[in-house]
Amino acid sequence: MSGEQDSAVGEHDSPTPTKVAKEAKRKPSSPKEVAAKKAAAKPESRLAMVRRARRINRELAEVYPYAHPELDFQSPFQLLVATVLSAQTTDLRVNQTTPALFARYPTPEDMAAAVPEEMEELVRPTGFFRAKTKSLIGLSTALRDDFGGEVPGRLEDLVKLPGVGRKTAFVVLGNAYGVPGITVDTHFMRLARRWKWTTQEDPVKIEAEIAAIFPKSEWTMLSHRVIFHGRRICHARKPACGACPITHLCPSYGEGETDPEKAKKLLKYEMGGYPGQRLNPPPDYPGKPAPPLGAS
């Protein structure tokens, strides 16, 4: 879903009990020892990689049983609009922006008839507001004229809409229509390469390689789990390796902070005791809702 910049208040000041137990049980070796083991290890076979990848998915399901799309929405149209807005910003900022936007333009017909300058002011907080406004008015016009005001449930139709690529389409298909899809955002790409699931850089090629590893039924939830982990623990600049529950399965352990106490300070959102990105999170979300736009 959104870009690299993320911010989020959890009721827990520390990781979940399940996660703490896993950390204690699987405390990794020192970075030097890990590096030595890697150097001495034989190249991983395709079969071994697939087994390790699927085990990572299973263990992430235990760590994040509440994984979900972090955009607030009540309809396929709202999710489509929010996902387009999420480019190059955080889901939090989108969630703080969309209440006023949807109050002003509740339907594709309303948004298609919007005055661009007026919509630009509403979406300005998400950045690139002129381009996003153009895409939103364009896709709303297409929905009105070509799809009877309804968001289509097919990939080939969605990607024809202005501002909608495969990533956005799979977010909508997976979370509004229950159609399995892999959402290859920046977090997913980073972790897929760190875990040696792929060496590709192109999102479409990454999608194809990951799709060959996991059953189709797992694609949508796999995406949520990986993105959750990337936002909360396996960060781009400084991964919290010492607080990660799957270090025993990670070939890149040691790239980040390995000291457990220092690593815990790097945790974000509910894992670090902070708010999530949604103003209206699901009932089973363990953290606190994010504040609305302008709140202290």
Side-chain angles (χ1 to χ4, degrees), residues 1 69 71 73 75-86 139 143 150-155 157-159 161 163-183 220 223-224:
M1 291 143 11
L71 291 168
F73 70 96
S75 69
F77 176 62
Q78 288 190 359
L79 179 57
L80 176 60
V81 169
T83 307
V84 170
L85 289 176
S86 71
L139 71 83
L143 293 178
E150 299 293 330
V151 176
R154 300 195 312 164
L155 176 65
D157 292 329
L158 283 169
V159 296
L161 300 174
V164 178
R166 291 179 69 86
K167 182 186 78 171
T168 295
F170 281 132
V171 170
V172 174
L173 291 173
N175 299 289
Y177 292 117
V179 178
I182 297 173
T183 303
T220 299
S223 300
H224 291 323

Side-chain angles (χ1 to χ4, degrees), residues 182-200:
I182 297 173
T183 303
V184 184
D185 73 348
T186 52
H187 301 286
F188 195 99
M189 288 192 287
R190 179 177 73 252
L191 270 61
R193 289 195 292 267
R194 276 183 179 163
W195 292 334
K196 311 303 181 187
W197 294 356
T198 181
T199 58
Q200 299 290 343

